[in-house]
Amino acid sequence: MGMAAYAAELLTFLIGLWLYRRVGYNARILFLAHFDWEVVLTSFKFGVFEMLGSLAWSLGKQLKSSSRRPA
């Protein structure tokens, strides 16, 4: 099933690439970075807080499940 997911992603990408080129655009533009360091730093700052929030949620879930052990 994992290989099917990879194949579906690849097929979707190739169809999108084909449609993009059919319209007349250059596919090279899709792979170029169109942002500066300010955008990168802002994204990293957001990602750190997102990661910390997920970590806190996971820790709370773990603590809750470990406190409900059967007698």
Side-chain angles (χ1 to χ4, degrees):
M1 187 157 149
M3 289 302 292
Y6 285 124
E9 289 290 331
L10 179 63
L11 182 64
T12 302
F13 173 75
L14 292 176
I15 290 173
L17 185 63
W18 174 70
L19 289 171
Y20 196 74
R21 293 188 69 188
R22 187 173 172 191
V23 172
Y25 293 119
N26 187 358
R28 186 173 154 228
I29 290 177
L30 294 174
F31 301 102
L32 296 176
H34 291 95
F35 48 84
D36 56 0
W37 280 107
E38 183 181 348
V39 174
V40 172
L41 292 175
T42 304
S43 300
F44 281 156
K45 287 177 187 175
F46 173 77
V48 165
F49 290 117
E50 184 73 21
M51 183 231 9
L52 290 174
S54 297
L55 183 66
W57 181 83
S58 299
L59 183 63
K61 187 106 172 137
Q62 181 66 31
L63 290 173
K64 182 178 178 181
S65 66
S66 66
S67 67
R68 288 192 291 165
R69 296 190 180 207

